[in-house]
Each structure stands twice: as structure tokens, then as C-alpha cells.
Amino acid sequence: MTGGGARAAYQAGVLSGVLRVLDPGGSPGFRNPFDILCGTSAGAINAAALACRAHQPHRAVEHLCTLWQALHTGDIYYSDAAHLMRTGLQWLGMLGLGWIQPRLSGFAPHSLLDNEPLARLLGRSLSFPRLQTNLDRGHLKALAITATAYTTGEHLTFYQARGGILPWTRTLRRAVACPIGVDHLLASSAIPFVFPARALLLGDRTLWCGDGSMRQLAPISPAIHLGAERVFVIGTNYRDETQPGIRELNPPYPSLAQIAGHTLSNIFLDGVSADMERMERINELLARIPANGLKSESLRPIHTLMIAPSQSLDEMALARLDELPRAVRTLFRVLGVSPRKVQPGGGALASYLLFEAGYTRDLIALGRADSMNRADEIVAFFKEWSA
């Protein structure tokens, strides 16, 4: 499951639709169809929530949808005027006086927003001891959460697995076997500049880690290293947002919101699409090799299925902009986000940070409909699993 901030509510809807397709009756003995769960940023939170309740997949997805449907911005980050004004004054003070008094840099804010409410929400909602129980009892094979280490520049995959899966290392990529916790999820979802980095202890060394979508050169790689032969990907990008074409011959100078939205899209969305295309080419090459020629387990065809939004999430976010707390809404409009003056990409920033129930419910409904509309593909993809 990819990143995308509030867009990740769409993933909960897709999961709900997949389970309806595979088990319409919701039988209590239905087995978890996702043996290996991998998540990045907000997708990491969804993956962990599903892993902690993997013994009851229907209830796990129902619980996940309930969380997203009841969400408010204040559950994710402080959205009141007092907190936002305090942070704004700190940034202004540093920009105005920091060059005169370098010592003031120690008092600089770490991010635009404070996501401490998210830490409390995750602590209340997730049972990590249950995650280990699910692994021990065979309800799940592995959970992998990705983050980026600002300290070393590495892309890290933290995983908790059943069996002897050894850590792997690639160029600027490293896997770390460890018990997953709230701090790993906060690090994985720490959108750069927006949310603060998180300190994680690796051996005797502390690494400051941020969003796992950064430097994610091969998003599907962790699943393959953990033994997956079929990979089901839930994206959060609508095709026409990543390939918009030319809309105006002489567009105005881009707003801060447009630039920020494009930056976040580049972080969250582009890597998965490129990795899927690369995997398709590798599969085509492997198909030309005789079966007895594939002697290395690292060279094996990987079957993939990806479900992504069929509508623009930017436009859906703009339609719900008035549901944001007044202070956040004012900040967004100062940055250039407005439903009455839509610029290309102007709604992208809101689509990542609009943690309000109206918007997340719309995303869940869209995800459920998108997966139900592809029921035949889903049944065919999971046919080998169900057998």
C-alpha cells in the first residue's frame, strides 16, 4: 500500500471491496488473503492495522474503514489557531532573526504541523502484541514498513516476519528485522517539512527517519524479498493527475499550493508506476527463458494487479475544502488552494492533508466501487490463493 496522506482512505475502501468479492457472505472462518503486508507512509498505517487483526480479516477491514470514516483533522495534527499561529511565528522569527542570532536555530520548529494527535490515535487503535500472535499462528507471514533515514540517506525497510527471513541490502537500501511499533509508523508517515521526523534506534545508533516514499526506488521490492509471488498494489493516484497534458497556453505563475502538491505527488506516486512498468518488462523477458533455465529463486515471474482511483482525488478534496477547521482552511487559501479559483494541481495539497470524515468517506466509497467494478480480475488474481 502506497503513501498519500488522507488519500490512503481510498485503500480502506478497496480492501473492503476485495473482501466482498472474495467472500460475499463474510464467513467467520474466512482466511486472510494477504500473507505479506507492505506499506509506506499512510499506507504503512493501513498495513499495520490489517496485520494486527489478520486473524479476522473482515473485522480488520471494517475497523479500518470505521477509523477513516470518523476521522477529523484534529485527530492527525493540531489544527487550532493557537498551535498554527505559534508555529508560524516561530518560522517567521527564524527567517527574520536567525541570520543575526545563529543560536536561535536550536529553537526552530521541526515541521509545519505537529502530528502528536496521530501518535495517540495509533496507540489507542493498534495492538502490536496481537501482530506477533498472528505471525506465530500463521495468520500472516510478514509485515514491512518503509522509512527514509535523513541521517544516512538510506531507504529502510523495517519488517517483522515468521520464519528465518534474513535482512537484505542494496544500494542505498537496507532491511532491518525488528518488532514494529508506533514510532515506525510515525517515521514512515512523516511527510517532509509537513510532519516532524522520528528518531529510531538501530543497534546502538539513533537515526532520524522521515516518510518512506522518499528515495523509494523499488516500492515492490520488500514484498518480493519477503517471498511474494503475486503482488496486489493499491495506489492513490488518478492517471489524469500524473499525466495532465497542457491545459492552458499561458498559465499564471504556480501557487505555493500547486508547487507543494506537485512535490508531494512526485514523492508519493511516481515510484510505484515506474516499478510496475519495470516489473512488466522483466516478466516479459523471463517468459522467453525456458522453465528449467530459471534456477535462481531471485529470478521468477511476479504476477501483479493494481487498483487506483478512477476519479480525480484533487477535485474531490476541493469539493470538501470547507469541512476543514477554519485555521487550516485559511492557511490553505493563503497558499493558493480554493474551490473558487482552481489552478492545475491547486487541490493536490488539500487531497493529502484533508483528514475530514466527508472526504475520507467519499474515498472509501470510491475505493469500494473501483474494486467491485474489477471483480472478475480480482477473482482471477486470487484464484491460486483460494485453491
Side-chain angles (χ1 to χ4, degrees), residues 59-91:
R59 295 187 63 179
V61 173
E62 181 182 351
H63 174 71
L64 187 60
C65 289
T66 299
L67 282 177
W68 279 106
Q69 288 171 338
L71 207 58
H72 295 286
T73 301
D75 297 323
I76 305 300
Y77 55 87
Y78 290 117
S79 57
D80 57 285
H83 276 90
L84 293 178
M85 186 175 297
R86 185 183 305 120
T87 302
L89 290 174
Q90 286 178 312
W91 280 112

Side-chain angles (χ1 to χ4, degrees), residues 166-182:
L166 297 177
W168 60 92
T169 302
R170 296 292 184 271
T171 303
L172 291 178
R173 289 186 283 148
R174 180 156 57 109
V176 180
C178 65
I180 302 295
V182 170

